[in-house]
Amino acid sequence: MAQIIDGKIVSAQVRADAAHEVEQLKEQGIHPGLAVVIVGDDPASRVYVNNKKRACAEIGIHSEEYALRAETTQEELLNLVENLNHKKEINGILVQLPLPKHLDEKAVIKAIDPIKDVDAFHAENVGRIMIGDFHFLPCTPAGVMELLRSANIEISGKHCVVIGRSNIVGKPMAMLLLHQNGTVTICHSKTKNLAEVCRNADILVAAVGIPKFVKADMVKPGAVVIDVGMDRDENGKLCGDVDFAQVEPIASYITPVPGGVGPMTIAMLMKNTITAAKLQHQ
């Protein structure tokens, strides 16, 4: 039976540390601020934005929400980002993705000042992650690393397999494991003998977006299994990319869904916003 890595407990500690740091910054006259921009009325995006606002309130970070109509033009959105780049009370800018189809996500991300890019999606920040000289890390991969640390899981020398190659999770996740001296394999839809590759993993990170994709025959006995997925099963119930019932008896450590990686993402966003405030007041 696997030991559960509880993201609720770990994220609560990260948030408590963040709240303490915000208090110390306020004593120095620094008030961290986050702007969240949401375009349209995607229900999942609305849930995420509300959770981010709640976390800011809990930790003591000033937050501003900019809810734009779905028909917002590219020019209007870029003008807003430019205004926020110059707004002193705002240290972090987050544009909630995905954007409506008529908007160019790449152009919007490029428009955000890299020192306010608390999602770490800007090309400058991505490049910094590549060379290991970064200010910010993408929140989900950073959360995974925090979970591994919390469970005292050694990464150095281990074979780490990441399923998924997105710019938001898969690629940066692989790079962070590599920085900790893991030997990393990235798998995707064109990978041959996928189950066999996954079975060789000491640490398996599933970020593929397919409900219960990782089955028992894909996991080596004693492997650490991190489930980044946030899916719905055939009954509409929240589940991950890992078939928990099948895999949990085989793994040594596993993250649940919900309550695993999910709570860490927002906790790490709070940390990034604090880092941004400190950088901008140096």
Side-chain angles (χ1 to χ4, degrees):
M1 295 288 275
Q3 195 166 324
I4 305 293
I5 307 176
D6 191 327
K8 289 181 186 167
I9 292 172
V10 180
S11 68
Q13 185 57 57
V14 171
R15 287 185 187 211
D17 293 345
H20 180 62
E21 201 165 357
V22 167
E23 272 179 35
Q24 290 178 319
L25 287 173
K26 284 180 177 176
E27 285 169 12
Q28 300 165 42
I30 299 170
H31 296 259
L34 175 69
V36 181
V37 180
I38 179 170
V39 185
D41 47 12
D42 178 70
S45 292
R46 171 44 63 195
V47 170
Y48 287 133
V49 167
N50 288 348
N51 288 343
K52 285 162 185 171
K53 283 164 61 183
R54 202 174 298 123
C56 285
E58 176 196 316
I59 287 162
I61 290 173
H62 165 69
S63 75
E64 296 180 6
E65 180 191 309
Y66 295 84
L68 309 181
R69 66 195 197 291
E71 312 78 50
T72 296
T73 66
Q74 184 79 8
E75 188 183 6
E76 286 170 328
L77 182 52
L78 291 176
N79 284 341
L80 172 60
V81 169
E82 188 58 25
N83 288 337
L84 293 172
N85 281 339
H86 292 104
K87 190 168 183 180
K88 283 201 166 64
E89 302 88 342
I90 295 300
N91 306 114
I93 301 168
L94 185 151
V95 178
Q96 185 66 44
L97 303 179
L99 290 171
K101 291 277 189 288
H102 69 283
L103 297 172
D104 181 350
E105 283 185 4
K106 280 186 185 172
V108 173
I109 290 166
K110 188 179 178 183
I112 297 171
D113 186 337
I115 209 163
K116 292 190 175 189
D117 168 39
V118 287
D119 264 333
F121 293 165
H122 190 286
E124 181 180 315
N125 289 324
V126 173
R128 282 180 163 277
I129 292 160
M130 179 68 77
I131 62 173
D133 174 27
F134 46 79
H135 298 310
F136 312 114
L137 292 173
C139 301
T140 300
V144 170
M145 297 305 284
E146 194 67 40
L147 289 174
L148 292 170
R149 256 195 302 277
S150 75
N152 295 315
I153 291 162
E154 181 66 49
I155 297 167
S156 183
K158 298 287 177 66
H159 184 200
C160 307
V161 173
V162 179
I163 316 174
R165 55 176 164 179
S166 73
N167 292 334
I168 292 173
V169 180
K171 289 176 191 171
M173 188 73 252
M175 202 47 58
L176 297 189
L177 291 164
L178 188 61
H179 287 325
Q180 294 296 321
N181 302 315
T183 300
V184 183
T185 303
I186 304 176
C187 296
H188 44 78
S189 58
K190 302 289 188 288
T191 301
K192 291 179 179 171
N193 305 320
L194 177 65
E196 192 182 320
V197 176
C198 293
R199 258 198 313 277
N200 285 317
D202 302 307
I203 298 171
L204 181 63
V205 181
V208 71
I210 301 172
K212 301 182 181 179
F213 179 79
V214 176
K215 304 292 186 187
D217 66 346
M218 296 170 72
V219 179
K220 177 166 82 172
V224 175
V225 179
I226 305 290
D227 191 347
V228 180
M230 191 63 79
D231 314 302
R232 297 273 173 189
D233 66 12
E234 60 280 3
N235 303 314
K237 192 179 171 206
L238 206 58
C239 69
D241 292 351
V242 176
D243 192 327
F244 189 88
Q246 279 196 23
V247 172
E248 190 262 341
I250 301 166
S252 60
Y253 289 86
I254 192 167
T255 60
V257 176
V261 176
M264 296 303 299
T265 299
I266 290 178
M268 303 318 283
L269 172 66
M270 299 298 109
K271 276 188 74 168
N272 279 353
T273 304
I274 293 165
T275 300
K278 292 196 294 199
L279 284 169
Q280 288 158 47
H281 283 88
Q282 268 177 2

